[in-house]
């Protein structure tokens, strides 16, 4: 630094005084002087900022105004030391600001001498350490929280140094391994490992430190651990590297998975049993399906057999009449021929013969016509029932033919069957399946809906609804109990097994409607108020059904 040539050179003492004044002026610490009675004799700007008092407010006052009551004796003890020429090194304390708020400080006091070296008072240097104390408290709280977590967590936590020596062992680890912390701290962590990990662990650690290639560190895996008593148990082990200052170490998180492994083993066993049961059930289901198919086919053939028997009975009546009339006619012709050969036929005898001939021929014609109608009706119905042909047909004619073929069955019961169907209504679907559905519904009503002697009413209604056919079948019988209603389409469910019911008819009906006819069927019923089946099928079925 260049000297100003126009000014005299400052003495060394003056220079030190200027430097000291600069320190006092610009220091953030409170620097003040006291006499031995504790009165403040100087007060720097740092003290103004720290305590909130201006210099003229503080100088002349006793230093005790800066101390809480419980610390009033501190300044007396400090001044006693300075009287003996001793200093009080920096110590932590609490002081009061002007607003009476507490302030954490670092406080030091030094003897103050005059130019002759005589003790004349004391000098105090005080620094605000509030931020430091807050940081320390926060660190302590954080450390306490971490320690609380470590102490209460259910997983074992073990820390080791870079040589594999155990540094800490939390309570959960004590419970898992059976060791107390003081028994293992300072030992190699391989004491917790069975072979081959026990012998290989130090090599793994050296290899990681040299190459960075991790076996477990930063990866985690399932391994076996060893308790104090030598027993083994499975764990999930996660290991992470940590650094504290320039020291390197590792922390291991250990989760006992014994219960999970036992559960997995039990589940494997259950799965194996379940797979066996599923295989058995699959075989049983396949057998049941084969049996059901046989029963369904048997039901269809039985229904067709009933149809054949009924129609045969119906045809027998007109054929029998035709035979009787033909026999009478043959006898009359024979008698006429005999009389002619004997000499002649009287006019009255000829007219009688012609009358019998006319009656017999009409009787034969009418009954043969009836038989032909029955045969034609049976023929189409039988063809539809025995085939799976998708074709266009007239619904009114199908229902008429069906009822004709069922006449022998219906004639045994005093029930009326009414049909409401447009005579021009046609659809493209499976007539055989639809005939089977209506047959099953009629037979179901005859078996279940009415008691002996009831005069029931069965009604079949068919309406076109845009692209679908709404077919409603209803009877006014006894209805279906609520507990039975949800089971009626299930295979083999019947309430009339003692009367020959198989429980197949309505199941077949449901499958035919939903699969072959491509529609849906629902049922409504209340005890005492009859039963209503609602069937909705497409008028034009475009997908070929594959039974």
């Amino acid at each position: 630094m260049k000297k100003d040539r126009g000014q005299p050179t400052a003495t060394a003492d003056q220079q030190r005084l200027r430097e000291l004044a600069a320190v006092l002026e610009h220091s953030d610490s409170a620097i003040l002087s006291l006499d031995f009675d504790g009165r403040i004799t100087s007060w720097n700007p740092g003290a103004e900022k720290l305590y909130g008092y201006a210099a003229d407010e503080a100088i002349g006052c006793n230093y005790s105004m800066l101390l809480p009551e419980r610390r009033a004796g501190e300044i007396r003890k400090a001044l006693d030391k300075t009287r003996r020429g001793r200093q009080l090194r920096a110590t932590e304390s609490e002081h009061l600001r002007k607003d009476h708020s507490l302030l954490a400080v670092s406080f030091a006091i030094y003897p103050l001498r005059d130019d002759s070296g005589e003790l004349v008072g004391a000098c105090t240097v005080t620094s605000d350490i509030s931020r430091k104390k807050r940081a320390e408290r926060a660190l302590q709280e954080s450390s306490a929280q971490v320690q609380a977590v470590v102490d209460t967590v259910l997983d074992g936590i073990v820390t080791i140094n870079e040589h594999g020596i155990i540094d800490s062992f939390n309570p959960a680890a004590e419970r898992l391994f059976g060791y107390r912390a003081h028994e293992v701290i300072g030992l190699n962590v391989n004491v917790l490992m069975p072979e081959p990990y026990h012998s290989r662990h130090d090599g793994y650690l050296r290899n990681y430190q040299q190459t960075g290639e991790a076996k477990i560190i930063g990866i985690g895996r399932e391994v076996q651990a060893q308790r104090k008593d030598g027993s083994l148990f499975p764990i999930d082990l996660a290991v992470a590297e940590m650094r504290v200052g320039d020291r390197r170490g590792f922390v291991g998180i250990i989760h006992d998975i014994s219960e999970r492994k036992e559960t997995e083993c039990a589940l494997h066993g259950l799965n194996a049993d379940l797979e066996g049961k599923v295989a058995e059930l699959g075989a049983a289901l396949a057998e049941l399906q084969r049996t059901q198919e046989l029963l369904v086919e048997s039901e269809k053939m039985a229904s067709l057999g009933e149809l054949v028997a009924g129609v045969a009975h119906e045809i027998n009546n007109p054929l029998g009449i035709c035979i009787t009339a033909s026999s009478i006619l043959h006898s009359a012709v024979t008698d006429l021929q005999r009389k002619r050969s004997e000499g002649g036929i009287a006019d009255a005898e000829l007219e009688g013969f012609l009358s019998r001939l006319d009656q017999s021929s009409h009787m034969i014609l009418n009954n043969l016509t009836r038989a032909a109608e029955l045969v034609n009706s049976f023929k189409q119905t039988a063809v539809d029932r025995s085939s799976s042909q998708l074709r266009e047909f007239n619904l009114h004619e199908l229902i008429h033919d069906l009822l004709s073929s069922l006449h022998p069955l219906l004639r045994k019961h005093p029930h009326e069957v009414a049909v409401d169907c447009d005579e021009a209504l046609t659809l493209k679907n499976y007539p055989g399946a639809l005939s089977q559905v209506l047959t099953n519904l009629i037979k179901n009503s005859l078996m279940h809906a009415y008691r002996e002697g009831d005069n029931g009413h069965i009604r079949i209604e068919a309406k076109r609804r845009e692209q679908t056919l709404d077919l409603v079948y209803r009877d006014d019988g006894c209805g279906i109990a609520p507990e039975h209603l949800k089971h009626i389409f299930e295979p083999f469910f019947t309430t009339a097994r003692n009367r020959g019911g198989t429980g197949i008819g309505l199941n077949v009906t449901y499958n035919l409607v939903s699969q072959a006819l491509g529609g849906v069927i629902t049922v409504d019923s209340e005890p005492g108020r009859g039963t209503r089946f609602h069937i909705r099928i497409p008028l034009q079925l475009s997908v070929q059904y594959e039974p």
Side-chain angles (χ1 to χ4, degrees), residues 160-166 187-190 201-202 205 250:
I160 63 174
N161 64 20
E162 60 185 339
H163 304 295
I165 303 303
I166 298 174
L187 299 182
N188 194 299
V189 72
N190 64 12
H201 179 264
D202 289 347
L205 200 57
F250 304 92

Side-chain angles (χ1 to χ4, degrees), residues 193-210:
M193 304 174 187
E195 293 294 352
Y197 309 111
H198 180 89
S199 301
R200 296 176 181 174
H201 179 264
D202 289 347
Y204 292 154
L205 200 57
R206 286 193 299 271
N207 181 70
Y208 173 71
Q209 292 169 346
Q210 293 170 3

Side-chain angles (χ1 to χ4, degrees), residues 162-335:
E162 60 185 339
H163 304 295
I165 303 303
I166 298 174
D167 285 333
S168 68
F169 202 74
N170 78 330
E174 292 182 333
R175 292 192 296 272
L176 288 177
F177 290 95
Y179 289 101
R180 300 300 298 273
H182 70 270
E183 295 180 281
V184 293
I185 290 175
L187 299 182
N188 194 299
V189 72
N190 64 12
V191 72
L192 308 177
M193 304 174 187
E195 293 294 352
Y197 309 111
H198 180 89
S199 301
R200 296 176 181 174
H201 179 264
D202 289 347
Y204 292 154
L205 200 57
R206 286 193 299 271
N207 181 70
Y208 173 71
Q209 292 169 346
Q210 293 170 3
T211 67
E213 181 182 351
K215 296 293 183 182
I216 293 181
I217 298 169
I219 300 172
R221 64 175 59 177
E222 290 184 11
V223 295
Q224 289 284 319
Q226 182 170 288
R227 297 186 179 94
K228 182 179 180 180
D229 62 8
S231 60
L232 305 183
F233 65 105
I235 62 170
D236 269 335
L237 176 61
V239 181
E241 186 175 358
M242 63 179 182
R243 288 187 179 273
V244 180
D246 58 353
R247 292 176 59 246
R248 179 165 66 170
F250 304 92
V251 58
I253 310 296
I254 300 149
H255 181 68
D256 185 356
I257 58 173
S258 300
E259 186 174 341
R260 189 181 84 192
K261 286 296 185 181
E262 290 172 1
T263 302
E264 287 177 358
C265 289
L267 283 176
H268 286 317
L270 288 174
N271 284 338
D273 291 343
L274 185 59
E275 288 174 0
K277 296 295 183 185
V278 168
E280 292 177 8
L281 286 174
L285 180 60
E287 184 63 27
L288 182 62
Q289 288 173 336
R290 287 193 294 271
T291 303
Q292 183 178 354
E293 289 170 0
L294 292 174
L295 287 172
V296 168
E297 192 63 30
S298 175
E299 180 78 9
K300 291 180 180 179
M301 295 307 296
S303 178
L304 189 59
E306 289 178 2
L307 177 64
V308 171
V311 171
H313 178 75
E314 288 294 301
I315 292 175
N316 278 339
N317 287 335
L319 289 180
I321 294 172
C322 289
I323 291 172
T324 301
S326 298
S327 178
I328 293 172
L329 186 59
H330 176 73
S331 178
V333 170
T334 301
D335 186 50

Side-chain angles (χ1 to χ4, degrees), residues 84-97:
R84 296 192 298 272
R86 297 170 60 189
Q87 65 181 29
L88 177 68
R89 297 185 180 276
T91 183
E92 293 184 1
S93 183
E94 289 179 316
H95 285 186
L96 284 174
R97 289 190 178 96

